Amino acid sequence: MASSSTSGAPLKRRLGFRLLLVFFGLFAAGVLTAAVTAIVLAPTLPPVHNILRKHLKAPLQVLTRHGQLIAEFGNEERMPVTLKQVPPTLIQAVLAAEDRSFYTNPGIDLLGIARAAWVDLVTGRKAQGASTITMQVARNYFLSPRKTFTRKAKEVLLSFKIARELTKNQILTLYLNKIFLGNHAYGFEAAAHIYYGKPLKALDLAQLAMLAGLPQAPSLDNPIDHPHNARARRHYVLARMRALGDITKAQYAQADAAPIATRAHMIHYHVDAPYVAEMVREYMVKHFGKKKTYDGGYRVYTTLGAREQEAADHAVEDGLLAYNIRHGYYGPTAVVPVSAQTSPHRLRRDLRHYTTAGGLVPGIVTSVGHRSIKAYDLDRHTVRVGWQGLSWAAPFITVNAEGYAPRQASDILKVGDVIYLHHEGPGRWALSQIPRPYAALVSLRPHDGSVAALVGGFDFYHDNFNNAIQAYRQPGSSFKPFVYSAAIAKGYTAASLFSGAPIVALSGAHGELWRPHNYSEHFLGLTRMRVGLAQSINLVSIRILRAVGIRYAVHYAERFGFKASMLPHSLSLVLGSATLTPLEMARGYTVFASGGFRVRPYFIRKIVDEHGKTIWRAKPLVVPPGPGVAIHGTPHFAVQAISPQNAFIMTSMMQSVIRSGTGQLALSLKRIDLAGKTGTSNHERNAWFSGFSPYLETTVWVGFPIPKSLGRYEVGAHAALPIWTQYMGAALAGKPDTPFAVPPGIVTAIINRHTGLPCSPKNPLAMREYFIKGTVPKKGAQRGVPGPAQSVRSSGLF
């Protein structure tokens, strides 16, 4: 027994020695392999110093002139922050979850890598992580996500290099801004907004721990899609923080018990201007390309004013909903089966096909009372609509006819009807419907042409066609001021007389008879130009154009930015038979509002890159300041398109449109600094109002997408002017009510309102009129009086 024991000892020593040799041999081989790998891969590693300048993909931001967010475009939601902006609690949570030795390790975790290598070797799978924060930075900034041994080796070598060349705080900042955290969120600040709708600094311990647990598996652990997994992961992070002494036992218990109260939050837009946002996106793609537009982190400051844009949205929405009420109820959008047993889940499922439109919310009627109904809406609320919100809904027959007024709710709706609801105040709802007509509003600042507000339709997401810049429609009588201005330039005055008698003209190539008429169907005698414009008298206006000359008027209109080639060379020009966009009309009217200068509309003020550097700035054409006003910089001055005196006379005449003519609804604003003109095309296919103050020019159009009648009496004063009035009332609130400045060269004279000739102030028909110096009529003269009704050959038909 003894000899056997004695002989076994040397054997064990020899076996142990051999195993030791094998171990050292393997170790040496590993070191040699690592050295060779490093030598081979080192030249292929990217330079680390570039990482600090490396572009972080960030979306395009569209902002108002004062920086309020309008929209974002991009594939990744990212909001870069500095380390000082990150709550210390989040840093503790991230380090506890991802890399507890971050501030002491050399960029890698050797034990973790050895453990991962062993698992990979035993299982044959390349799945084990062992990534430090530095390694994740290396992978996210420089390497592909593919799991290969070569990539892992590069990751380790690059991590050493990053740790050697960058500070720990620089590495951590890169990590906090780059890491993917699910639901399109890249970086912790973006994740805070998407999961909680708040900035990082506003989150509590439970919420920060939730975010800190996401980097390992953002798709599987995010609280929106997998709340159970998210709770377990948050528990792990909090437990690690407790073990490391970052939080107290009480803090741990409170945070661990907190509910998973999160949902997908849309980025909060301060101003709703999707039509302008799309204009910006198209501009950026055209000039910068798609990739740089969506990932370049550009901030585009538009010219929009937040107050003006909000007022424009409300005015267009209210104006179109008012049209709905005037013309009756089209009927439910759809009908779905509903019974007493129908669950809220089923109702939500039936509503998933419908979205909000403008301020309207889709809902399903769940019960019908005598004069009220209840509906389940898209926001998961059951709302009651009383008779005040239902009684308007006589059935629509045509734009000119409605059915009998309803007497009870069942005359209008039944259970299962899919409807749209309008919230009219606390606890007050009304039945509504998506308007069939379209509308557009453009508001420009006359001094430089900047767009203060623009609305292209009722709801961009329902129909993204931008009527403000894409809809070419006949402006009707709102085009008359440009022809009247041509007459002023020719020497006529606001007091010049023109006949309102019938006209018979030959029109077109085949010589058809054209008998234009006034909207009222009445004929007038001799009429002053001021009255002709204020009352929008067609026959007077046609004679003014004939006196001026069609060719002269067409080319004169170019002073307002119109192209002569786009205008009809016929007498119908003055009746607005051209096809123009609301933006073009708005630009034309700014010439009057600015005292005769032609500005150039623009909607982008400046473009700022991801580093905050302004790379492009608008150079608008500005109206020269008055005498004695200092000029700063080197502005580009607008062209004097018409004389200041002409602009003033026309403005005065368009003030009469509001004071005593077709625009009297605007008197409700109780301002003296307003002027404008209504417009209605044949058969009420288009309704317009263009008007201005010294601060804003605004044009409103209402019509169908395919031109057809809006209905009897849906003229500019009825369909468009209420929108204009509501908008201007809000946009001009707080602005001084300042009369239009009278330029040099303007004189006044007392005239007889019937003859247009000078008279005694004691004459009961006396009135004061403005004239350009040298054009005051003399007693006995009768300017602008054409002969009796006569045939006039015309090349166009209106």
Coordinates of all heavy atoms in Angstrom, one line a residue, residues 645-716:
Q645 N -49.3 107.8 -54.4 CA -50.6 108.5 -54.5 C -51.6 107.5 -55.1 O -52.8 107.5 -54.6 CB -50.4 109.7 -55.4 CG -49.5 110.8 -54.8 CD -48.0 110.5 -55.0 OE1 -47.6 109.7 -55.9 NE2 -47.2 111.1 -54.2
N646 N -51.2 106.8 -56.1 CA -52.2 105.8 -56.7 C -52.6 104.8 -55.6 O -53.7 104.4 -55.5 CB -51.5 105.1 -57.9 CG -52.4 104.2 -58.6 OD1 -53.1 103.4 -58.1 ND2 -52.4 104.3 -60.0
A647 N -51.6 104.2 -54.9 CA -51.8 103.3 -53.8 C -52.8 103.8 -52.8 O -53.7 103.1 -52.3 CB -50.5 102.8 -53.2
F648 N -52.6 105.1 -52.4 CA -53.5 105.7 -51.4 C -54.9 105.8 -51.9 O -55.8 105.5 -51.2 CB -52.9 107.0 -51.0 CG -53.8 107.7 -50.0 CD1 -53.7 107.4 -48.6 CD2 -54.7 108.7 -50.4 CE1 -54.6 108.0 -47.7 CE2 -55.5 109.3 -49.5 CZ -55.5 109.0 -48.1
I649 N -55.1 106.3 -53.1 CA -56.4 106.5 -53.7 C -57.1 105.2 -53.7 O -58.3 105.0 -53.3 CB -56.4 107.1 -55.1 CG1 -55.8 108.6 -55.0 CG2 -57.7 107.1 -55.7 CD1 -56.7 109.6 -54.3
M650 N -56.4 104.1 -54.2 CA -57.0 102.8 -54.3 C -57.3 102.3 -52.9 O -58.4 101.6 -52.7 CB -56.1 101.8 -55.0 CG -56.0 102.1 -56.5 SD -57.6 102.1 -57.3 CE -58.3 100.5 -56.8
T651 N -56.5 102.5 -51.9 CA -56.7 102.1 -50.5 C -58.0 102.7 -50.0 O -58.8 102.1 -49.4 CB -55.5 102.3 -49.6 OG1 -54.4 101.6 -50.1 CG2 -55.8 102.0 -48.2
S652 N -58.1 104.0 -50.3 CA -59.3 104.8 -49.8 C -60.5 104.2 -50.5 O -61.6 104.1 -49.8 CB -59.1 106.3 -50.2 OG -60.3 107.0 -50.0
M653 N -60.5 103.9 -51.7 CA -61.6 103.3 -52.4 C -62.0 102.0 -51.8 O -63.2 101.6 -51.7 CB -61.4 103.2 -53.9 CG -61.3 104.6 -54.6 SD -60.7 104.5 -56.3 CE -62.0 103.7 -57.1
M654 N -61.0 101.2 -51.5 CA -61.3 99.9 -50.9 C -61.7 100.0 -49.4 O -62.3 99.1 -48.9 CB -60.0 99.0 -51.0 CG -59.9 98.4 -52.5 SD -58.6 97.2 -52.6 CE -57.2 98.2 -52.8
Q655 N -61.4 101.1 -48.8 CA -62.0 101.3 -47.5 C -63.5 101.5 -47.6 O -64.3 101.2 -46.7 CB -61.3 102.6 -46.8 CG -59.9 102.3 -46.3 CD -59.3 103.5 -45.6 OE1 -59.0 104.5 -46.2 NE2 -59.2 103.4 -44.3
S656 N -63.9 102.1 -48.7 CA -65.4 102.3 -49.0 C -66.1 101.0 -49.2 O -67.2 100.8 -48.9 CB -65.6 103.2 -50.2 OG -65.2 104.5 -49.9
V657 N -65.3 100.0 -49.7 CA -65.9 98.6 -49.8 C -66.4 98.1 -48.4 O -67.4 97.5 -48.3 CB -64.9 97.7 -50.4 CG1 -65.4 96.2 -50.4 CG2 -64.5 98.1 -51.8
I658 N -65.6 98.4 -47.4 CA -65.9 98.0 -46.1 C -66.9 98.9 -45.4 O -67.8 98.5 -44.7 CB -64.6 97.9 -45.2 CG1 -63.8 96.7 -45.7 CG2 -64.9 97.7 -43.7 CD1 -62.4 96.5 -45.1
R659 N -66.7 100.2 -45.6 CA -67.6 101.2 -44.9 C -69.1 101.2 -45.5 O -70.0 101.3 -44.7 CB -67.0 102.6 -45.1 CG -65.8 102.8 -44.3 CD -65.1 104.1 -44.6 NE -63.9 104.3 -43.8 CZ -62.9 105.1 -44.1 NH1 -63.1 105.9 -45.2 NH2 -61.8 105.2 -43.4
S660 N -69.2 101.0 -46.8 CA -70.5 101.2 -47.4 C -70.8 100.2 -48.5 O -71.9 100.3 -49.1 CB -70.7 102.6 -47.9 OG -69.7 102.9 -48.9
G661 N -69.9 99.3 -48.8 CA -70.1 98.4 -49.9 C -70.3 96.9 -49.5 O -70.9 96.6 -48.5
T662 N -69.7 96.0 -50.3 CA -69.9 94.6 -50.1 C -69.1 94.0 -49.0 O -69.3 92.8 -48.6 CB -69.5 93.8 -51.4 OG1 -68.2 94.1 -51.7 CG2 -70.4 94.2 -52.6
G663 N -68.2 94.7 -48.4 CA -67.4 94.2 -47.3 C -67.8 94.7 -45.9 O -67.0 94.7 -45.0
Q664 N -69.0 95.1 -45.7 CA -69.4 95.7 -44.4 C -69.3 94.8 -43.2 O -69.3 95.3 -42.1 CB -70.9 96.3 -44.6 CG -70.9 97.5 -45.5 CD -72.3 98.1 -45.6 OE1 -72.9 98.6 -44.6 NE2 -72.9 98.0 -46.8
L665 N -69.3 93.5 -43.4 CA -69.1 92.6 -42.2 C -67.9 93.0 -41.5 O -67.9 92.9 -40.2 CB -69.1 91.2 -42.7 CG -68.9 90.2 -41.6 CD1 -70.1 90.1 -40.6 CD2 -68.6 88.8 -42.2
A666 N -66.8 93.5 -42.1 CA -65.6 93.8 -41.5 C -65.7 95.0 -40.5 O -64.8 95.3 -39.7 CB -64.5 94.1 -42.5
L667 N -66.8 95.7 -40.6 CA -67.1 96.9 -39.7 C -67.2 96.3 -38.2 O -67.0 97.1 -37.3 CB -68.4 97.6 -40.1 CG -68.3 98.4 -41.3 CD1 -69.7 99.0 -41.6 CD2 -67.3 99.6 -41.2
S668 N -67.5 95.1 -38.1 CA -67.6 94.5 -36.7 C -66.3 94.5 -36.0 O -66.2 94.5 -34.8 CB -68.1 93.0 -36.8 OG -67.1 92.2 -37.6
L669 N -65.2 94.7 -36.7 CA -63.9 94.8 -36.1 C -63.6 96.2 -35.4 O -62.7 96.4 -34.7 CB -62.7 94.5 -37.1 CG -62.7 93.1 -37.7 CD1 -61.6 92.9 -38.6 CD2 -62.7 92.1 -36.6
K670 N -64.5 97.2 -35.8 CA -64.4 98.5 -35.3 C -63.0 99.1 -35.4 O -62.4 99.7 -34.5 CB -64.8 98.5 -33.8 CG -66.3 98.2 -33.6 CD -66.7 98.1 -32.1 CE -68.2 98.1 -31.9 NZ -68.8 96.9 -32.6
R671 N -62.5 99.0 -36.6 CA -61.2 99.6 -36.9 C -61.3 100.4 -38.2 O -62.1 100.2 -39.0 CB -60.1 98.5 -37.2 CG -59.8 97.6 -36.0 CD -58.7 96.6 -36.4 NE -57.4 97.3 -36.5 CZ -56.4 97.3 -35.6 NH1 -56.6 96.6 -34.5 NH2 -55.3 97.9 -35.8
I672 N -60.5 101.5 -38.2 CA -60.5 102.4 -39.4 C -59.4 102.1 -40.4 O -59.3 102.7 -41.4 CB -60.4 103.9 -38.9 CG1 -59.1 104.1 -38.2 CG2 -61.6 104.2 -38.1 CD1 -58.9 105.6 -37.9
D673 N -58.5 101.1 -40.0 CA -57.3 100.9 -40.9 C -57.5 99.6 -41.7 O -56.6 98.8 -41.9 CB -56.1 100.8 -40.0 CG -56.1 99.7 -39.0 OD1 -57.2 99.1 -38.8 OD2 -55.1 99.3 -38.4
L674 N -58.7 99.4 -42.2 CA -59.0 98.2 -43.0 C -59.5 98.6 -44.4 O -60.2 99.6 -44.6 CB -60.0 97.3 -42.3 CG -59.7 96.8 -40.9 CD1 -60.8 96.1 -40.4 CD2 -58.4 95.9 -41.0
A675 N -59.0 97.8 -45.4 CA -59.5 98.0 -46.8 C -59.5 96.7 -47.5 O -58.7 95.8 -47.1 CB -58.5 99.0 -47.5
G676 N -60.3 96.5 -48.5 CA -60.3 95.2 -49.2 C -61.4 95.2 -50.2 O -62.1 96.1 -50.5
K677 N -61.5 94.0 -50.8 CA -62.4 93.8 -51.9 C -62.9 92.3 -51.9 O -62.2 91.4 -51.8 CB -61.8 94.1 -53.3 CG -62.7 94.0 -54.5 CD -63.8 95.0 -54.4 CE -64.8 94.9 -55.6 NZ -65.8 93.8 -55.2
T678 N -64.3 92.2 -52.1 CA -64.9 90.9 -52.2 C -64.7 90.4 -53.6 O -64.4 91.2 -54.6 CB -66.4 91.0 -51.9 OG1 -66.9 92.0 -52.7 CG2 -66.6 91.2 -50.5
G679 N -64.8 89.1 -53.8 CA -64.8 88.5 -55.2 C -65.6 87.3 -55.2 O -65.6 86.4 -54.3
T680 N -66.4 87.1 -56.3 CA -67.2 86.0 -56.6 C -67.2 85.6 -58.0 O -67.4 86.5 -58.9 CB -68.7 86.2 -56.1 OG1 -68.7 86.7 -54.8 CG2 -69.5 84.9 -56.2
S681 N -66.8 84.4 -58.4 CA -66.8 84.1 -59.8 C -68.2 83.6 -60.2 O -69.1 83.4 -59.4 CB -65.7 83.0 -60.1 OG -66.1 81.8 -59.5
N682 N -68.3 83.4 -61.5 CA -69.6 83.0 -62.1 C -70.3 81.8 -61.3 O -69.6 80.8 -61.0 CB -69.5 82.6 -63.6 CG -69.9 83.8 -64.5 OD1 -70.1 84.9 -64.0 ND2 -69.9 83.5 -65.8
H683 N -71.6 81.9 -61.1 CA -72.4 80.9 -60.4 C -71.8 80.5 -59.1 O -72.0 79.4 -58.6 CB -72.4 79.6 -61.3 CG -72.9 79.9 -62.7 ND1 -74.1 80.3 -63.0 CD2 -72.2 79.8 -63.9 CE1 -74.2 80.5 -64.3 NE2 -73.1 80.2 -64.9
E684 N -71.2 81.4 -58.4 CA -70.7 81.3 -57.0 C -69.7 80.0 -56.9 O -69.7 79.3 -56.0 CB -71.8 81.1 -56.0 CG -72.7 82.3 -55.9 CD -73.8 82.4 -56.9 OE1 -74.2 81.3 -57.4 OE2 -74.3 83.5 -57.1
R685 N -68.9 79.9 -58.0 CA -67.9 78.8 -57.9 C -66.8 79.0 -57.0 O -66.2 78.1 -56.5 CB -67.4 78.5 -59.3 CG -68.5 77.9 -60.3 CD -67.8 77.4 -61.6 NE -68.8 76.9 -62.5 CZ -69.3 77.5 -63.6 NH1 -68.9 78.8 -63.8 NH2 -70.1 77.0 -64.4
N686 N -66.4 80.3 -56.9 CA -65.3 80.7 -56.0 C -65.7 82.0 -55.2 O -66.3 82.9 -55.8 CB -64.1 81.1 -56.8 CG -63.6 79.9 -57.7 OD1 -62.9 79.0 -57.1 ND2 -63.9 79.9 -58.9
A687 N -65.4 82.0 -53.9 CA -65.7 83.1 -53.1 C -64.4 83.6 -52.5 O -63.5 82.8 -52.0 CB -66.6 82.7 -52.0
W688 N -64.1 84.9 -52.6 CA -62.9 85.5 -52.2 C -63.1 86.7 -51.3 O -64.1 87.4 -51.4 CB -62.1 86.0 -53.4 CG -61.6 85.0 -54.4 CD1 -62.4 84.4 -55.3 CD2 -60.3 84.5 -54.6 NE1 -61.6 83.5 -56.1 CE2 -60.3 83.6 -55.6 CE3 -59.1 84.7 -53.9 CZ2 -59.2 82.9 -56.1 CZ3 -57.9 84.1 -54.4 CH2 -58.0 83.2 -55.4
F689 N -62.1 87.0 -50.5 CA -61.9 88.4 -49.9 C -60.4 88.6 -49.8 O -59.7 87.8 -49.1 CB -62.6 88.6 -48.6 CG -62.7 90.0 -48.2 CD1 -63.6 90.9 -48.7 CD2 -61.7 90.6 -47.4 CE1 -63.6 92.2 -48.4 CE2 -61.7 91.9 -47.0 CZ -62.7 92.7 -47.5
S690 N -60.0 89.7 -50.3 CA -58.6 90.2 -50.1 C -58.7 91.5 -49.5 O -59.4 92.4 -50.0 CB -57.9 90.3 -51.5 OG -57.6 89.0 -52.0
G691 N -57.9 91.7 -48.4 CA -58.0 92.9 -47.7 C -56.7 93.1 -46.8 O -55.9 92.2 -46.6
F692 N -56.6 94.3 -46.3 CA -55.3 94.6 -45.6 C -55.5 95.7 -44.6 O -56.5 96.5 -44.6 CB -54.2 95.0 -46.6 CG -54.6 96.1 -47.5 CD1 -54.3 97.4 -47.2 CD2 -55.3 95.8 -48.7 CE1 -54.7 98.4 -48.1 CE2 -55.6 96.8 -49.6 CZ -55.3 98.2 -49.3
S693 N -54.5 95.8 -43.7 CA -54.3 96.9 -42.8 C -52.8 97.3 -43.0 O -52.1 96.6 -43.8 CB -54.5 96.5 -41.3 OG -53.4 95.7 -40.9
P694 N -52.3 98.3 -42.4 CA -50.9 98.6 -42.6 C -50.0 97.4 -42.1 O -48.8 97.4 -42.4 CB -50.6 99.8 -41.7 CG -52.0 100.5 -41.6 CD -53.0 99.4 -41.6
Y695 N -50.5 96.5 -41.3 CA -49.7 95.4 -40.7 C -49.7 94.1 -41.4 O -48.8 93.4 -41.5 CB -50.2 95.2 -39.2 CG -50.3 96.4 -38.4 CD1 -51.5 97.0 -38.1 CD2 -49.1 97.0 -37.8 CE1 -51.6 98.1 -37.3 CE2 -49.2 98.1 -37.1 CZ -50.4 98.7 -36.8 OH -50.5 99.8 -36.0
L696 N -50.9 93.8 -42.0 CA -51.1 92.5 -42.7 C -52.0 92.7 -43.9 O -52.9 93.4 -43.9 CB -51.8 91.5 -41.7 CG -51.0 91.0 -40.5 CD1 -51.9 90.2 -39.6 CD2 -49.8 90.2 -40.9
E697 N -51.6 91.9 -44.9 CA -52.5 91.7 -46.1 C -53.0 90.2 -46.0 O -52.2 89.3 -45.8 CB -51.8 91.9 -47.4 CG -52.7 91.9 -48.6 CD -53.4 90.6 -48.9 OE1 -52.8 89.5 -48.7 OE2 -54.5 90.6 -49.4
T698 N -54.3 90.0 -46.1 CA -54.8 88.6 -46.0 C -55.8 88.4 -47.1 O -56.7 89.2 -47.4 CB -55.5 88.4 -44.7 OG1 -54.5 88.7 -43.6 CG2 -56.0 87.0 -44.5
T699 N -55.6 87.2 -47.8 CA -56.5 86.7 -48.8 C -57.1 85.4 -48.4 O -56.4 84.5 -48.0 CB -55.7 86.6 -50.2 OG1 -55.4 87.9 -50.6 CG2 -56.6 85.9 -51.2
V700 N -58.4 85.3 -48.6 CA -59.2 84.1 -48.3 C -59.9 83.6 -49.5 O -60.5 84.4 -50.2 CB -60.2 84.3 -47.1 CG1 -61.0 83.1 -46.9 CG2 -59.4 84.7 -45.8
W701 N -59.8 82.3 -49.8 CA -60.6 81.7 -50.9 C -61.4 80.6 -50.4 O -60.9 79.8 -49.5 CB -59.6 81.2 -52.0 CG -60.3 80.3 -53.0 CD1 -61.0 80.6 -54.0 CD2 -60.3 78.8 -52.9 NE1 -61.5 79.5 -54.7 CE2 -61.0 78.4 -54.0 CE3 -59.7 77.9 -52.0 CZ2 -61.2 77.0 -54.2 CZ3 -59.9 76.6 -52.2 CH2 -60.7 76.1 -53.3
V702 N -62.6 80.4 -50.9 CA -63.4 79.2 -50.6 C -64.0 78.7 -51.9 O -64.5 79.5 -52.7 CB -64.6 79.6 -49.6 CG1 -65.5 78.4 -49.3 CG2 -64.1 80.2 -48.3
G703 N -64.0 77.4 -52.0 CA -64.5 76.8 -53.3 C -64.4 75.3 -53.2 O -63.7 74.7 -52.3
F704 N -65.0 74.6 -54.2 CA -64.8 73.1 -54.3 C -63.5 72.8 -55.0 O -63.0 73.5 -55.8 CB -66.0 72.5 -55.0 CG -67.3 72.5 -54.1 CD1 -68.3 73.4 -54.3 CD2 -67.4 71.5 -53.2 CE1 -69.4 73.3 -53.6 CE2 -68.6 71.4 -52.4 CZ -69.6 72.3 -52.6
P705 N -63.0 71.6 -54.7 CA -61.8 71.1 -55.4 C -61.9 71.1 -56.9 O -61.0 71.4 -57.7 CB -61.5 69.8 -54.8 CG -62.7 69.3 -54.1 CD -63.5 70.6 -53.7
I706 N -63.1 70.6 -57.4 CA -63.4 70.7 -58.8 C -64.5 71.8 -58.9 O -65.6 71.6 -58.3 CB -64.0 69.3 -59.3 CG1 -62.9 68.3 -59.2 CG2 -64.4 69.5 -60.7 CD1 -63.4 66.9 -59.6
P707 N -64.2 72.9 -59.5 CA -65.1 74.1 -59.4 C -66.5 73.7 -59.8 O -66.8 73.2 -60.8 CB -64.5 75.0 -60.4 CG -63.0 74.7 -60.4 CD -63.0 73.2 -60.3
K708 N -67.4 74.1 -58.8 CA -68.8 74.0 -59.0 C -69.5 75.0 -58.0 O -68.8 75.5 -57.1 CB -69.4 72.6 -58.9 CG -69.1 72.0 -57.5 CD -69.7 70.6 -57.4 CE -69.5 70.0 -56.0 NZ -70.1 68.6 -55.9
S709 N -70.7 75.2 -58.2 CA -71.4 76.2 -57.4 C -71.4 75.9 -55.9 O -71.6 74.8 -55.5 CB -72.8 76.4 -57.8 OG -73.5 77.3 -57.0
L710 N -71.0 76.9 -55.1 CA -71.1 76.8 -53.6 C -72.5 76.9 -53.2 O -72.8 76.5 -52.0 CB -70.2 77.8 -53.0 CG -68.7 77.7 -53.1 CD1 -68.1 79.0 -52.8 CD2 -68.2 76.6 -52.2
G711 N -73.4 77.4 -54.0 CA -74.8 77.6 -53.6 C -75.2 79.1 -53.8 O -74.3 79.9 -53.7
R712 N -76.5 79.3 -54.0 CA -76.9 80.7 -54.1 C -76.5 81.5 -52.8 O -76.6 81.0 -51.7 CB -78.4 80.7 -54.2 CG -78.9 80.5 -55.6 CD -80.4 80.9 -55.7 NE -81.2 80.0 -54.8 CZ -81.8 78.9 -55.2 NH1 -81.6 78.4 -56.4 NH2 -82.5 78.2 -54.3
Y713 N -76.1 82.7 -53.0 CA -75.7 83.6 -52.0 C -74.4 83.3 -51.3 O -74.0 84.0 -50.4 CB -76.8 83.7 -50.9 CG -78.2 83.9 -51.5 CD1 -79.2 82.9 -51.2 CD2 -78.5 84.9 -52.3 CE1 -80.4 83.1 -51.7 CE2 -79.8 85.1 -52.9 CZ -80.7 84.1 -52.6 OH -82.0 84.2 -53.1
E714 N -73.7 82.2 -51.8 CA -72.4 82.0 -51.2 C -71.3 82.8 -52.0 O -70.4 82.3 -52.6 CB -72.0 80.5 -51.3 CG -72.9 79.6 -50.4 CD -72.7 79.8 -48.9 OE1 -71.6 80.5 -48.6 OE2 -73.5 79.4 -48.1
V715 N -71.5 84.1 -51.8 CA -70.6 85.0 -52.5 C -69.4 85.3 -51.6 O -69.3 84.8 -50.4 CB -71.3 86.3 -52.8 CG1 -72.4 86.1 -53.9 CG2 -72.0 86.9 -51.5
G716 N -68.5 86.1 -52.0 CA -67.3 86.5 -51.2 C -67.7 87.0 -49.9 O -67.0 86.7 -48.9

